[in-house]
Amino acid sequence: MITKVTTAEFQKEVLESDLPVLVDFWADWCGPCRMMAPVLEELASDLEGKLKVAKVNVDEEGNLAQQYEIMSIPTLMVFSGGQAVDQLVGFMPKGDLLNKLNKHI
Amino acid sequence: MDTVLDVLIIGGGPAGLAAGLYAGRAMLDTAIVEGKGPGGQVILTHEIENYPGFVEPISGAELAANMAAQTSRFNVATFNSPVERLELQGNIKEVITQQGTLKARTLIIATGVVPKTLDVPGEQKFIGRGVSYCATCDGAFFRGKKVAVVGGGDTAVKEALFLTKFADLVYLIHRRDSLRAEPIQQKRLRENPKITPLWHKTVDEVRGELKVSGVTLRDTRDGRTEDLDLDGVFVFVGRQPVGPLVGSGILTDKEGYIITNENMETNIPGVYAVGDVRRKAWRQIVTAVSDGAIAALSAAEYIQDIN
């Protein structure tokens, strides 16, 4: 399951999460973001209990996008213990994404 | 997977989806395997105004989604798994993907093209930090900013025009002093006060600390360099074919585009190539879907003949 996160919820849902969190910064007008969505759905269920997957709509949550200096979407950021520990930009097939995430989970 | 399909299509852009539509509708057992999601490059296009049948421009993402939905009406299965290798020697063609092997009597390659990069220092480092290959995706993050588009073809000019919706100033950096873009786009470019062309210039380096702060330009006539301050660099310097073709035995030209006859058949019987990955003069959505239809019909005939 993917959690939709707003600016108000970000602290609790992402920064204070016990599990590492993969945050997908996206928008509905972005083609590659739409391609990424089913990959993230699969990933979220495959890694349930090990990794939390959250998404932030950059149109609705402009402050968060600005705070994390998002300049391209989709941008996937990995948060662990309240810190941003990794950042991946652009569409990525599931296998590649899993490889990149392995060191964080 | 032990099933042998009639038609297996690699690539889910317009060419692959059209091939799937025709093959599925011809009651052939058909599947599409795709490394990303369906859509291909067209989903990166903001507006398409030259695809017949749409009076008003349609977004690339919407057109691709419609095509995918239309194709799926005819029982065409889709697999999401990057293709690693092709085995085309026998009568049954094998496609080895990350998640297993798919087999089919005929194969239609619709893998398309990917953008070329500038291949200069700083470019890779700043991807997502000011370097972009998709104005539709990233343009909105440059509201009120100063950006440059590198390139002189249709895509470069179209994307420069799109970026003027957001950026205050858009430079068009081109190595020559004339454009290859369609005349209608060139006219729009000339009439747009936010676009400043910089002729006879190439990019030597993308500069910045944490994100892009500018580029170093080189004049193609006298080799002199100068710095240009920017917030973003959008690269549209052409495309290159994608093919998991090494060792597959499929003939390509020296740039890697697959050579076919007018039925879209490659040098290997039962193996077809369609869309942008095929060697041809005009790469358009309409020519891609036309290729796809022709290949599917040719494949149907081939299957009938071998049976």
Side-chain angles (χ1 to χ4, degrees):
Chain A
M1 200 194 68
I2 298 182
T3 319
K4 187 183 170 187
V5 177
T6 64
T7 308
E9 295 157 349
F10 199 79
Q11 177 75 23
K12 181 172 165 288
E13 290 288 340
V14 176
L15 299 178
E16 291 171 10
S17 166
D18 292 334
L19 291 177
V21 190
L22 178 72
V23 182
D24 171 29
F25 289 88
W26 72 289
D28 56 13
W29 39 260
C30 153
C33 299
R34 292 191 196 181
M35 302 198 316
M36 207 62 229
V39 175
L40 292 172
E41 290 284 353
E42 272 184 43
L43 194 89
S45 74
D46 289 359
L47 296 179
E48 203 180 334
K50 288 196 209 164
L51 178 85
K52 181 166 162 180
V53 182
K55 61 178 183 177
V56 171
N57 183 316
V58 297
D59 284 337
E60 291 164 11
E61 311 299 337
N63 288 339
L64 277 178
Q66 225 163 26
Q67 186 186 337
Y68 289 102
E69 297 195 306
I70 303 301
M71 297 170 82
S72 180
I73 52 173
T75 286
L76 304 172
M77 287 182 78
V78 184
F79 289 84
S80 185
Q83 299 290 318
V85 292
D86 210 346
Q87 180 163 352
L88 311 164
V89 176
F91 176 88
M92 210 170 285
K94 190 173 149 192
D96 294 5
L97 187 55
L98 274 171
N99 286 341
K100 302 259 185 194
L101 290 174
N102 265 336
K103 60 176 180 271
H104 302 299
I105 55 178
Chain B
M1 215 171 302
D2 282 336
T3 334
V4 178
L5 296 155
D6 291 320
V7 181
L8 178 59
I9 298 155
I10 309 178
L17 291 170
L21 170 66
Y22 270 74
R25 200 167 169 277
M27 314 285 285
L28 298 169
D29 195 5
T30 305
I32 297 176
V33 58
E34 164 68 58
K36 304 181 178 182
Q41 285 189 105
V42 63
I43 64 160
L44 304 180
T45 309
H46 166 60
E47 272 188 348
I48 293 158
E49 58 182 10
N50 57 1
Y51 191 78
F54 295 90
V55 179
E56 296 299 323
I58 182 167
S59 84
E62 198 181 340
L63 183 62
N66 285 351
M67 286 182 178
Q70 188 183 5
T71 299
S72 68
R73 284 183 58 211
F74 296 97
N75 297 321
V76 176
T78 308
F79 299 100
N80 271 296
S81 184
V83 171
E84 294 184 329
R85 202 158 45 83
L86 304 177
E87 286 290 347
L88 307 177
Q89 299 317 312
N91 280 335
I92 304 297
K93 321 297 177 201
E94 294 188 15
V95 173
I96 295 94
T97 80
Q98 266 181 17
Q99 286 161 40
T101 298
L102 296 161
K103 296 174 186 173
R105 291 180 181 83
T106 63
L107 180 67
I108 299 177
I109 299 171
T111 43
V113 290
V114 288
K116 281 186 186 161
T117 57
L118 292 171
D119 223 1
V120 299
E123 182 184 20
Q124 289 295 322
K125 180 178 161 197
F126 293 117
I127 290 176
R129 291 266 168 239
V131 171
S132 173
Y133 306 90
C134 176
T136 330
C137 311
D138 304 338
F141 299 108
F142 295 88
R143 217 175 283 275
K145 302 273 171 77
K146 203 156 60 168
V147 301
V149 165
V150 189
D154 269 342
T155 310
V157 171
K158 210 168 152 182
E159 302 296 324
L161 287 163
F162 176 74
L163 286 166
T164 61
K165 289 179 177 223
F166 307 104
D168 279 351
L169 182 57
V170 178
Y171 292 105
L172 185 79
I173 300 171
H174 187 43
R175 62 194 154 145
R176 286 189 285 267
D177 63 358
S178 62
L179 299 167
R180 281 167 289 125
E182 298 169 308
I184 187 169
Q185 300 288 23
Q186 294 198 34
K187 179 168 177 283
R188 288 170 182 166
L189 180 102
R190 280 194 303 273
E191 287 167 355
N192 194 310
K194 281 187 171 179
I195 299 181
T196 305
L198 299 173
W199 305 120
H200 299 293
K201 297 282 191 287
T202 55
V203 174
D204 259 17
E205 187 183 354
V206 180
R207 292 177 296 106
E209 293 275 330
L210 293 171
K211 53 186 181 182
V212 169
S213 64
V215 293
T216 305
L217 295 176
R218 178 179 295 275
D219 193 294
T220 55
R221 293 160 302 184
D222 58 18
R224 277 168 43 179
T225 59
E226 61 181 302
D227 287 344
L228 177 68
D229 290 342
L230 295 169
D231 302 296
V233 185
F234 289 79
V235 180
F236 302 103
V237 289
R239 300 176 169 116
Q240 58 194 28
V242 184
L245 297 173
V246 180
S248 67
I250 297 172
L251 277 182
T252 68
D253 68 7
K254 63 178 190 300
E255 289 171 277
Y257 290 102
I258 299 174
I259 297 168
T260 70
N261 64 18
E262 64 178 15
N263 293 330
M264 307 301 143
E265 195 167 33
T266 67
N267 59 306
I268 301 177
V271 178
Y272 305 83
V274 296
D276 285 0
V277 76
R278 186 171 83 85
R279 184 180 69 173
K280 58 178 178 178
W282 304 107
R283 293 191 173 83
Q284 296 287 313
I285 304 169
V286 283
T287 65
V289 297
S290 161
D291 286 1
I294 293 168
L297 296 170
S298 307
E301 208 170 67
Y302 172 88
I303 290 167
Q304 210 164 34
D305 287 350
I306 56 171
N307 282 342

